Every structure is written in C-alpha cells, then in structure tokens.
Amino acid sequence: MSRDTAAAQQVAQQAQDLRNRGDDGEGLALTLLRQTTTEVLSPIEAALTLVTLRDLDQHQLADNLIHVYGRDQPDQDVMDIALTLHELGLADDAGAILRAAVG
C-alpha cells in the first residue's frame, strides 16, 4: 500500500505543479492525469491520486479525473476505483465516477 500511496502522491504533486505553471498548466495537468491514471496506475493508485488531489485542494483536477476515468476506463476498473473511494470515505466521489461511467 505504501508503494501505491507514493505513486499517487507523486502524480498528484506533478499535476498540481503543472496546473500552477500558468496559461497552459491546466491542460498539461489534465493530460498527465488522463494518461497516467488510465495507462500506468492501477485503480487503487488512481483512487489514491484522487484522494491526494482532494487533500491538496485541487478539487477541479479531482473532478476532471473523475469524469475522464469514469468515461474512459473499462467497467471493472471503474467499479474497483469506486469501491476503493467508498472504502476511503469518499462516497460522493465514488458515486460521481459511477455516474460518469454510465452517462
């Protein structure tokens, strides 16, 4: 779990740093999150990335991650991340990712 947390924290921090760069930072941060969470990280790591974004007060990035992940990932991955988010106490985010997956 500590390796999962470290990877999630690193991705979230990189996204925050990119977002703070200026004009194109938001787009770069979203690209990083989209590619990393859907192609590299496991659903658990993606959930921990979302938690870390919330902890960093990067709510817009977290919300965008929910929509991208829910829309683009296979159903099983979406269910896995939703379960993890629910277990971590983020029931609203778990529901939001499920809603993104179905509509």
Side-chain angles (χ1 to χ4, degrees), residues 16-71:
Q16 179 180 6
D17 292 346
L18 286 171
R19 185 169 191 250
N20 292 336
R21 278 193 178 179
D23 295 336
D24 62 344
E26 182 83 21
L28 292 172
L30 291 175
T31 300
L32 171 73
L33 288 173
R34 184 180 310 113
Q35 290 177 342
T36 305
T37 58
T38 61
E39 297 174 12
V40 178
L41 299 180
S42 70
I44 291 172
E45 291 168 326
L48 293 171
T49 299
L50 183 67
V51 170
T52 304
L53 288 170
R54 294 281 186 223
D55 290 344
L56 294 170
D57 291 325
Q58 294 294 322
H59 300 292
Q60 186 64 40
L61 287 176
D63 291 342
N64 286 329
L65 174 57
I66 286 170
H67 294 293
V68 168
Y69 199 95
R71 182 188 67 216

Side-chain angles (χ1 to χ4, degrees), residues 9 12 32 57 60 73 78 86 88 95 100:
Q9 289 173 339
L32 171 73
D57 291 325
Q60 186 64 40
Q73 288 303 100
V78 172
H86 188 269
L88 293 171

